C-alpha cells in the first residue's frame, strides 16, 4: 500500500479532528432497560460473571471471547441448532474459519416456528392493491411450494432462481427453497437481461420462478420477451414457474397456482436439516472488473446474524416492520430477520414516489408500522421535496432505519423535527455477509450524522495504510475477527483467489470492506462512502463492467470509464466518460447510452453526466484506472493518485485532471 488514505472531500482526512456532533435523542432509562439489548446484556453478565459498565465493555467482550458470545447468542435467542454444545469455531482465521462443526439446522425453521401466531405474517402494498397472508396460511403455502419443488426433483444443493417483485409468492418461494436445502437467488424484474444472465449463468439454476409483468410508477411493464431471452440463456433450467393472474400457460412454464396445488396436503414441519455451512443464498456484489461476484452465504451464519440484528433493531414479536427495498437488494433478504422474530413484514411494491413521496408515510400510518427502513436517498428526497412525515400521523412508528449510503446530519435533524421521539438508527454493512457492521442500539443516545455503535460480535475498526487502528479519524473499515455469516465462498471460485482479492489482499488475514469509516472516541461510527470503485446507487451496488458491457456495445462508443462519487450530505454523482467514434454526435449518443443502460442493466444506474474524453487512462496491463480517477474527483492531489510511469497512456489523465479542476471551480 502506498500513499495517504483520504476520505471524501466533505469529510476529514486521517488525523484531522472533527467536532462532536450534537445529541438528538436519548432513550428514557426505563425504556432502555426494557429493550432486547438490555435483556441480552443481563444474560451476558450472568453467563460471564462480569459487570459491563457500558455498551463498549459488552462489545469488547463480544469480539474478544467470540466463542462465548456466539454460544450465548444461540441460547438466548432460542436458535434451533442441533449440536453437541461443545465447539463453536475451528481455526479462528479469515478466510477459513469453520463454525459450529457437526451442527444441523434449517434457516426456514426460524420463520416457520411462528406459524401458529395470529394476525398477518406478510402484507404487500402495491401501487393499486393491498394483499396479506396470515401466519398459518403462509406456512401452508411454504409447505406446498416445498413439496412441489421436491416433485420437480429439487433437493439440497440445487439452485432455485427467481425474477420477482416484492410479493407473497417471492417470500413463499424463498422460504420453501431454503426448507428443502436448495440454494436461492433473486433478481428484481426491472434488471436488464444482460445483468440477470451475468448472475444466474454462473450458478446454473434448475428452476426459474418469474413474473413476466410488473407495475412501476403507474405503468404495467411487459417483460415477456426479456424473460424469453433469459430462459434461452440458461441451458441448465429443467423447470419454469410463472407467477401471474393469467391462468393460461405461457413460455412452457407451470402457473404458480398449479405449482402450489401440486404440493397440496404437505405438512409444514418437513424441513431438510443441513450442515451449518450449507449454502442458503447466492447474492451478488460486483467488483470493478469481471462478472458480478456470486457471494454464497450459509444457513447457520445468516440465521445467527439475523437473530443478532434483532437485538440492535429491538425487533419485537407482534410488531410491524417494513423496509423500502427493491427485490434485488440485500435488504429484501434482511426483511426475513424481522419475520424470524415473529414480526409482521409489510412489503412495499412499485415506485415510492407514486403518486407522491408521501405514499410511504401514509402506508406507515395505515399499516401501523413500528419500524420503517429505507435507503438514505429516500429520506433526503423527502426532505428536499418538503414532505411532512407527521402529516400522515404514523402514530405507532417508534424507529427508523436507513442504509445504502450515508444519511447526512441534516436528514437526522429533519427526521427528529418531523417525528419527535422516534429513534433514528441507520446501519451500514453489506451484501457480502447479509448483515451490518455498525448501526443502532436502543440503549444509547443518537448523534446527528453518526451510527450509535459497532455491532456485537463484529470486530470493526478503522485502519491507516500501515494497518494501525485509528480512533477519531478516517480510515479503511476493517473487521479483524471472523463472523459466522461471512461468505462461504464465491460460486465457482475454486481456489479462493477471487474471495481473497475481494477482501483480504490489503491487510492479510483482515477483512477490508471498502468503506471509509471513523470510529468516534465514544464508540460511535461515521461512514464517509466507498473507498473502492464499486458503484453504489441508492443502496444497490454494481460493478462498472456491467455499465461497460452495455455502453461499449454501441458503435458510437469506442471506450468508457465510470466512477461513482459518494459525498456525505450531498447526492452521489456518477459521471460516465466516453471516447466517441469519429463523427458521433454527443447528444444523440448520450440518448443511446441511457437507453442501452436502462435496457441491459437498469434505469437505476443511469449516469449523472456523460463526458466525452479523448482517451481512457489505462495501466500497462490494460486495466482502466477507475480508482485513481475516483480519488482525483474526490479532491485528492493529481500527482499522488496515480504513478504515471505505470500507465500505458499517461497523457490521457490530463483530461480528467482538467475536468476535476473545472468541477471544483464550479462547486458552490
Amino acid at each position: 500500500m502506498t500513499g495517504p488514505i483520504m476520505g471524501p472531500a466533505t469529510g476529514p482526512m486521517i488525523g484531522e479532528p472533527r467536532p462532536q456532533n450534537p445529541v438528538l435523542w436519548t432513550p428514557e432509562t426505563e425504556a432502555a432497560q426494557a429493550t432486547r439489548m438490555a435483556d441480552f446484556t443481563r444474560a451476558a453478565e450472568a453467563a460471564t460473571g462480569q459487570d459491563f459498565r457500558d455498551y463498549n465493555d459488552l462489545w469488547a467482550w463480544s469480539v474478544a471471547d467470540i466463542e462465548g458470545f456466539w454460544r450465548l447468542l444461540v441460547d438466548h435467542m432460542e436458535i434451533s441448532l442441533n449440536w453437541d454444545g461443545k465447539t463453536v469455531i475451528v481455526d479462528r482465521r479469515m478466510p477459513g474459519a469453520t463454525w459450529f462443526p457437526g451442527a444441523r439446522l434449517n434457516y426456514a425453521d426460524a420463520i416457520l416456528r411462528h406459524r401458529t401466531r395470529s394476525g398477518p405474517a406478510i402484507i404487500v402494498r402495491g401501487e393499486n392493491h393491498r394483499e396479506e397472508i396470515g401466519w398459518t396460511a403462509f406456512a401452508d403455502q411454504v409447505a406446498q411450494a416445498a413439496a412441489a419443488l421436491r416433485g420437480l426433483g429439487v433437493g439440497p444443493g440445487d439452485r432455485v432462481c427467481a425474477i420477482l417483485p416484492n410479493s407473497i409468492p417471492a417470500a413463499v418461494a424463498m422460504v420453501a427453497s431454503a426448507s428443502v436445502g436448495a440454494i436461492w437467488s433473486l433478481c428484481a424484474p426491472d434488471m436488464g437481461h444482460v445483468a440477470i444472465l451475468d448472475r444466474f449463468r454462473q450458478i446454473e439454476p434448475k428452476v426459474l420462478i418469474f413474473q413476466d409483468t410488473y407495475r412501476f410508477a403507474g405503468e404495467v411493464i411487459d417483460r415477456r420477451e426479456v424473460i424469453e431471452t433469459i430462459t434461452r440463456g440458461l441451458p441448465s433450467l429443467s423447470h419454469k414457474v410463472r407467477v401471474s393472474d393469467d391462468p393460461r400457460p405461457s413460455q412452457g412454464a407451470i402457473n404458480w397456482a398449479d405449482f402450489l396445488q401440486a404440493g397440496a396436503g404437505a405438512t409444514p414441519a418437513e424441513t431438510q436439516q443441513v450442515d451449518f455451512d450449507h449454502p442458503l443464498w447466492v447474492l451478488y456484489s460486483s467488483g470493478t472488473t469481471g462478472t458480478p461476484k456470486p457471494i454464497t452465504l450459509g444457513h447457520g451464519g445468516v440465521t445467527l446474524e439475523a437473530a443478532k440484528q434483532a437485538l440492535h433493531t429491538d425487533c419485537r414479536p407482534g410488531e410491524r416492520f417494513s423496509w423500502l427495498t427493491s427485490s434485488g437488494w440485500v435488504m429484501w433478504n434482511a426483511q426475513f430477520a424481522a419475520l424470524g422474530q415473529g414480526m409482521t413484514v409489510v412489503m412495499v411494491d412499485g415506485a415510492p414516489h407514486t403518486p407522491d413521496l408521501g405514499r410511504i408515510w401514509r402506508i406507515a400510518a395505515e399499516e401501523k408500522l413500528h419500524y420503517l427502513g429505507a435507503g438514505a436517498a429516500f429520506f433526503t428526497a423527502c426532505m428536499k421535496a418538503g414532505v411532512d412525515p407527521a402529516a400522515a400521523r404514523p402514530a405507532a412508528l417508534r424507529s427508523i432505519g436507513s442504509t445504502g449510503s450515508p444519511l447526512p446530519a441534516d436528514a437526522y435533524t429533519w427526521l427528529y423535527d418531523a417525528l419527535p421521539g422516534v429513534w433514528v438508527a441507520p446501519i451500514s454493512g453489506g451484501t457480502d455477509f447479509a448483515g451490518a457492521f455498525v448501526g443502532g442500539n436502543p440503549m444509547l443516545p443518537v448523534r446527528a450524522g453518526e451510527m450509535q455503535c459497532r455491532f456485537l460480535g463484529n470486530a470493526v475498526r478503522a485502519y491507516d495504510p500501515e494497518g494501525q487502528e485509528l480512533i477519531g479519524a478516517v480510515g479503511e473499515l476493517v473487521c479483524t475477527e471472523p463472523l459466522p455469516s461471512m461468505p462461504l465462498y464465491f460460486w465457482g471460485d475454486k481456489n479462493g483467489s477471487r474471495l481473497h482479492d475481494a477482501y483480504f489482499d490489503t491487510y492479510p488475514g483482515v477483512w477490508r470492506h471498502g468503506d471509509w469509516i471513523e470510529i468516534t472516541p465514544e464508540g460511535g461510527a461515521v461512514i464517509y462512502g466507498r473507498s473502492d470503485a464499486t458503484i453504489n446507487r441508492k443502496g444497490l451496488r454494481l460493478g462498472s463492467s456491467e455499465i461497460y458491457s452495455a455502453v461499449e456495445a454501441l458503435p458510437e462508443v469506442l471506450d468508457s470509464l465510470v466512477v461513482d462519487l459518494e459525498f456525505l450530505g450531498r447526492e452521489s454523482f456518477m459521471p460516465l466518460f466516453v471516447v466517441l467514434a469519429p463523427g458521433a454526435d454527443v447528444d444523440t449518443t448520450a440518448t443511446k447510452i441511457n437507453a442501452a443502460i436502462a435496457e441491459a442493466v437498469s434505469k437505476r444506474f443511469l449516469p449523472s453526466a456523460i463526458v466525452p474524453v479523448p482517451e481512457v487512462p489505462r495501466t500497462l496491463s490494460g486495466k482502466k484506472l477507475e480508482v485513481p480517477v475516483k480519488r482525483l474527483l474526490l479532491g485528492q492531489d493529481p500527482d499522488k493518485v496515480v504513478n504515471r510511469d505505470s500507465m500505458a497512456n499517461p497523457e490521457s489523465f490530463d483530461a480528467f485532471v482538467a475536468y476535476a479542476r473545472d468541477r471544483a471551480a464550479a462547486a458552490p
Side-chain angles (χ1 to χ4, degrees), residues 550-551 554 591-601:
V551 172
L554 297 171
T591 301
K592 291 183 178 181
I593 287 171
N594 285 329
I597 293 173
E599 169 66 18
V601 186

Side-chain angles (χ1 to χ4, degrees), residues 17-339:
R18 179 182 58 81
Q20 191 177 51
N21 290 339
V23 172
L24 300 177
W25 178 88
T26 302
E28 295 180 1
T29 302
E30 186 176 344
Q33 291 304 315
T35 63
R36 300 189 74 178
M37 182 64 78
D39 238 9
F40 183 80
T41 303
R42 290 188 285 268
E45 289 178 334
T48 64
Q50 298 186 49
D51 178 16
F52 297 115
R53 295 168 301 169
D54 56 23
Y55 175 79
N56 288 331
D57 277 357
L58 180 68
W59 174 82
W61 163 75
S62 76
V63 298
D65 182 9
I66 60 176
E67 291 202 29
F69 167 71
W70 291 105
R71 185 190 305 276
L72 178 63
L73 186 81
V74 168
D75 292 341
H76 183 77
M77 300 302 287
E78 299 179 342
I79 294 169
S80 179
L81 184 63
N82 182 12
W83 69 309
D84 60 12
K86 295 178 181 177
T87 307
V88 171
I89 185 171
V90 177
D91 203 356
R92 186 170 165 171
R93 64 187 175 93
M94 292 185 291
T98 299
W99 292 89
F100 296 91
R104 304 277 287 178
L105 79 163
N106 191 295
Y107 168 82
D109 288 333
I111 294 167
L112 298 177
R113 63 179 173 160
H114 300 292
R115 59 181 172 267
T116 59
R117 279 189 168 277
S118 59
I122 295 175
I123 297 169
V124 175
R125 291 293 302 261
E127 291 183 359
N128 65 345
H129 76 286
R130 180 188 186 276
E131 186 179 6
E132 70 174 58
I133 186 169
W135 281 100
T136 301
F138 179 73
D140 287 345
Q141 285 198 20
V142 168
Q144 291 169 356
L149 286 171
R150 290 190 183 101
L152 297 179
V154 174
D158 289 329
R159 276 76 68 202
V160 176
C161 289
I163 306 169
L164 295 169
N166 283 305
S167 64
I168 290 171
V172 168
M174 190 280 282
V175 179
S177 174
S179 75
V180 302
I183 304 167
W184 172 262
S185 193
L186 175 67
C187 280
D190 67 338
M191 293 183 69
H193 69 276
V194 174
I196 293 174
L197 284 172
D198 279 350
R199 286 156 173 76
F200 289 170
R201 271 180 182 151
Q202 295 186 71
I203 64 173
E204 299 178 309
K206 191 170 190 174
V207 175
L208 177 69
I209 305 173
F210 65 88
Q211 187 169 311
D212 52 19
T213 62
Y214 70 97
R215 177 178 287 272
F216 191 85
E219 292 186 44
V220 175
I221 314 298
D222 189 331
R223 298 278 287 176
R224 285 176 293 183
E225 288 187 14
V226 173
I227 295 293
E228 205 169 300
T229 300
I230 291 167
T231 56
R232 284 199 307 266
L234 296 172
S236 62
L237 286 180
S238 299
H239 303 281
K240 296 176 287 183
V241 180
R242 176 181 179 237
V243 178
S244 175
D245 294 331
D246 184 351
R248 293 172 295 179
S250 175
Q251 303 185 52
I254 308 164
N255 278 317
W256 178 253
D258 296 332
F259 175 72
L260 290 182
Q261 184 59 37
T267 169
E270 295 175 354
T271 60
Q272 173 71 49
Q273 298 300 289
V274 295
D275 291 339
F276 189 89
D277 59 357
H278 183 81
L280 168 65
W281 296 329
V282 177
L283 306 177
Y284 305 90
S285 183
S286 302
T288 58
T289 58
T291 54
K293 300 192 296 285
I295 301 169
T296 309
L297 303 178
H299 276 249
V302 171
T303 300
L304 266 63
E305 183 65 28
K308 184 185 68 180
Q309 287 181 46
L311 302 176
H312 285 274
T313 54
D314 202 30
C315 282
R316 302 175 186 178
E319 293 193 341
R320 294 190 170 193
F321 176 101
S322 183
W323 197 287
L324 185 62
T325 175
S326 157
S327 55
W329 188 16
V330 67
M331 296 311 298
W332 186 88
N333 302 71
Q335 296 174 103
F336 291 88
L339 204 64

Side-chain angles (χ1 to χ4, degrees), residues 551 557 559-561 576-580 589 593 610-614 616:
V551 172
V557 179
D559 205 355
S560 62
L561 184 145
L576 172 67
F577 299 92
V578 293
V579 179
L580 299 179
T589 304
I593 287 171
I610 296 173
V611 184
V613 292
V616 167

Side-chain angles (χ1 to χ4, degrees), residues 337-354:
L339 204 64
Q341 297 302 313
M343 299 183 81
T344 295
V345 169
V346 179
M347 294 182 174
V348 178
D349 192 40
H353 58 275
T354 299

